[in-house]
Amino acid sequence: MDFRSFDQTQGGYEPPYTDFTGQPIRWQELDTTTTGMVHRGYLVDVLIDCRSGMMTFDVFGMEFPWRSFSERALVVHKPRDACEDRGFSPRF
């Protein structure tokens, strides 16, 4: 449930990824960390590494690397722009 509140989009799974519905990630609502951003959930935090683009789940202090941003996520959610806006230099 915590992750579902992070990405509230559906559809648009084929290039050019334009026919999605829902609200893209509202990056301004995430906290800044030393390496990127964090979406704080009730049980699970989603950590975003702004250098590599890796998303990691943090469950009660245990981190589980999940995956890098997909091509769809890069187009729909624009994480590069969000990272640059916070002073990071994304390499993804």
Side-chain angles (χ1 to χ4, degrees), residues 71-86:
E71 288 299 315
R72 177 189 179 274
L74 293 174
V75 172
V76 172
H77 300 292
K78 300 177 179 26
R80 283 187 189 117
D81 295 344
C83 287
E84 288 174 351
D85 288 347
R86 299 212 183 185

Side-chain angles (χ1 to χ4, degrees), residues 46-92:
V46 181
L47 307 171
I48 306 299
D49 187 319
C50 278
R51 296 168 298 179
S52 66
M54 175 63 78
M55 291 182 285
T56 300
F57 294 124
D58 181 304
V59 183
F60 298 118
M62 295 180 62
E63 292 185 7
F64 300 93
W66 184 51
R67 65 179 284 183
S68 297
F69 288 110
S70 67
E71 288 299 315
R72 177 189 179 274
L74 293 174
V75 172
V76 172
H77 300 292
K78 300 177 179 26
R80 283 187 189 117
D81 295 344
C83 287
E84 288 174 351
D85 288 347
R86 299 212 183 185
F88 293 100
S89 299
R91 291 180 276 159
F92 56 91

